[in-house]
Amino acid sequence: MSMQIVEINLSLPYESRGKILKSILERVRGKVRDVHFFPPNAKGLSEVRLELLVSDAQRLIKELKGTIKNGKISVKVLSA
């Protein structure tokens, strides 16, 4: 199966950012290409941009939507 590069933009509460990121990174162990952390805004939401190398982007998206309860997620598949 071919690998795909997926960009994931997360908007998470700053206090729980570490806990959520830990669970995400356990699922995609060893496949992180790039990570950018942005400071929290006035509402206390912090943005995180991940670039991952995955074999099944649809499965990953479904898992992430189940993991992230208090936040927003957007996903772009950069390579097919």
Side-chain angles (χ1 to χ4, degrees), residues 9-53:
N9 292 315
L10 304 167
S11 183
L12 305 168
Y14 185 74
E15 318 77 56
S16 60
R17 177 176 79 171
K19 180 179 165 185
I20 294 170
L21 288 174
K22 182 180 177 185
S23 69
I24 290 171
L25 294 177
E26 285 174 354
R27 296 170 198 258
V28 294
R29 184 173 298 138
K31 299 174 186 170
V32 177
R33 289 183 44 138
D34 197 12
V35 179
H36 294 281
F37 294 98
F38 298 95
N41 62 15
K43 295 179 182 178
L45 295 175
S46 179
E47 185 179 341
V48 179
R49 187 171 298 142
L50 299 165
E51 201 172 291
L52 307 172
L53 188 61

